[in-house]
Amino acid sequence: MKVAVTGSTGQLGTDVVEVFRKAAGVEVVPLSHEQIEIGDLASVRAALTAAAPQAVINSAAFHQVDKCEEDPEQAFRINALGAWNVARVCNELGAYCVYISTDYVFDGAKAAPYDEADAPMPLSIYGASKLAGEYLTRSACPKAIVARIASVFGKSGARGKGGNFIEAILKKAKAGEPLKVVNDTPMTPTYTMDAASALLDLVRRQPTGILHVTNQPACTWYDFAKKAVDLCGLKVEVAPVTSDAFPSKVRRPTYSALSGKRLADAIGRPMRPWTEALRAYLVEKGHLST
Ligand SMILES: NC(=O)c1ccc[n+]([C@@H]2O[C@H](COP(=O)([O-])OP(=O)(O)OC[C@H]3O[C@@H](n4cnc5c(N)ncnc54)[C@H](OP(=O)(O)O)[C@@H]3O)[C@@H](O)[C@H]2O)c1
């Protein structure tokens, strides 16, 4: 099966390409931003028609939440219309379409793990543009899945954001700087290698609808940071604080953990605990030897 990947140089896309490249019976076609502009239907049609894939992973996005707030038109052009362009061409080609979405489609009011049947209510332009992308993907291509991920960490770091949370924490911890980390916004982190292997299973089985694709169970950013610091044996103070300590113009969900039950049914296995995924990441990045 031939699988095209948009956003192939991004944090998720890099590992999707790596995992799919090693998979038996899969030929991967990476599509960098230079090779496809998802906001432009002609570019999408040209790139995907040339690739002639049986499935497309659409991981390209404008996901700097502050910048999306400042430039809603661009956010909707890429995250919503871009998703529509990719899904329309997938439908024309008869390809399975995977749209990568986010926990930011929820407002956090549920305060318990969100499942796929829960009604979304985004608080930010980014969340709203991604929710529009979900709807447009599913309306343009019946053979599509929305895969929601969250709080991503991967070896290449987010291009748009310049790194990832774990690397930022470890850099400060290694410099001996005391850390203050938010402890009141539970979420479910996602290791890109684990998301990529779940996406491979999805592409092979081709379920439709929405699935939550994150490691489990819920934790706070404080739990996540403390675990990374402890696993690396760094002796630095990590203080839990509330989110008011980091004022932001962007409204974010105060609770955004995603339930993994439906994914486990869909691919016949759960995503592993985030603690194991974090250890694997630290080994892969050379922060830990085993
Ligand atoms: N990072 C997170 O914590 C997180 C959380 C939840 C969901 N997500 C979702 O996960 C997906 C992957 O995120 P990521 O962390 O891998 O992001 P990333 O590292 O910023 O990668 C995004 C990729 O998309 C490309 N791209 C941007 N605009 C494009 C356009 N108009 N046309 C074609 N390609 C374009 C970028 O290329 P250039 O850099 O060359 O422009 C980059 O390769 C996104 O859909 C995002 O919304 C991310």
Side-chain angles (χ1 to χ4, degrees):
M1 180 181 7
K2 208 192 245 193
V3 183
V5 181
T6 71
S8 62
T9 58
Q11 181 165 224
L12 177 66
T14 301
D15 285 351
V16 168
V17 169
E18 182 179 327
V19 167
F20 280 51
R21 200 165 257 156
K22 289 178 187 156
V26 175
E27 182 189 345
V28 67
V29 184
L31 294 172
S32 69
H33 199 170
E34 282 173 4
Q35 292 163 295
I36 188 170
E37 168 50 65
I38 65 163
D40 174 6
L41 179 60
S43 166
V44 172
R45 193 170 272 130
L48 291 184
T49 304
Q54 280 83 49
V56 176
I57 311 284
N58 182 15
S59 80
F62 177 33
H63 73 95
Q64 290 152 280
V65 289
D66 308 37
K67 289 192 179 160
C68 287
E69 219 64 29
E70 289 160 15
D71 192 351
E73 285 179 14
Q74 178 72 346
F76 275 81
R77 192 175 77 83
I78 306 305
N79 297 335
L81 290 178
W84 193 38
N85 291 337
V86 172
R88 283 155 83 187
V89 176
C90 281
N91 196 46
E92 288 166 14
L93 298 174
Y96 180 62
C97 182
V98 182
Y99 177 64
I100 306 299
S101 191
T102 170
D103 54 334
Y104 276 29
V105 297
F106 293 115
D107 64 4
K110 185 180 176 189
Y114 280 96
D115 64 42
E116 291 80 350
D118 285 319
M121 180 61 230
L123 299 175
S124 61
I125 295 294
Y126 168 69
S129 67
K130 292 294 288 187
L131 181 60
E134 292 188 1
Y135 288 139
L136 288 167
T137 296
R138 295 179 68 198
S139 71
C141 182
K143 223 169 74 172
I145 189 103
V146 168
R148 291 184 184 137
I149 60 174
S151 309
V152 171
F153 62 108
K155 61 178 183 285
S156 60
R159 276 167 70 88
K161 296 177 183 167
N164 71 37
F165 173 79
I166 294 296
E167 292 306 314
I169 289 291
L170 292 180
K171 189 174 173 198
K172 283 190 177 179
K174 284 177 181 173
E177 290 179 39
L179 297 159
K180 288 183 182 167
V181 188
V182 173
N183 195 30
D184 60 355
T185 56
M187 48 81 184
T188 38
T190 308
Y191 180 30
T192 46
M193 289 300 277
D194 291 356
S197 69
L199 291 170
L200 177 63
D201 286 351
L202 291 176
V203 163
R204 288 194 160 129
R205 293 168 191 231
Q206 309 212 342
T208 56
I210 303 173
L211 282 169
H212 292 169
V213 181
T214 68
N215 293 104
Q216 295 292 327
C219 67
T220 67
W221 291 101
Y222 167 79
D223 300 327
F224 197 35
K226 181 85 173 72
K227 188 73 185 175
V229 166
D230 288 350
L231 282 169
C232 292
L234 298 167
K235 303 291 172 217
V236 64
E237 188 195 343
V238 186
V241 296
T242 56
S243 26
D244 334 348
F246 299 100
S248 166
K249 282 189 217 155
V250 184
R251 291 169 70 212
R252 291 175 167 81
T254 50
Y255 184 102
S256 68
L258 303 180
S259 161
K261 283 188 193 135
R262 194 184 285 186
L263 178 73
D265 290 342
I267 64 175
R269 63 181 173 90
M271 294 271 282
R272 66 181 153 172
W274 64 262
T275 46
E276 285 176 27
L278 177 59
R279 175 180 278 281
Y281 168 83
L282 294 172
V283 170
E284 185 168 7
K285 283 292 281 186
H287 295 295
L288 275 183
S289 53
T290 51

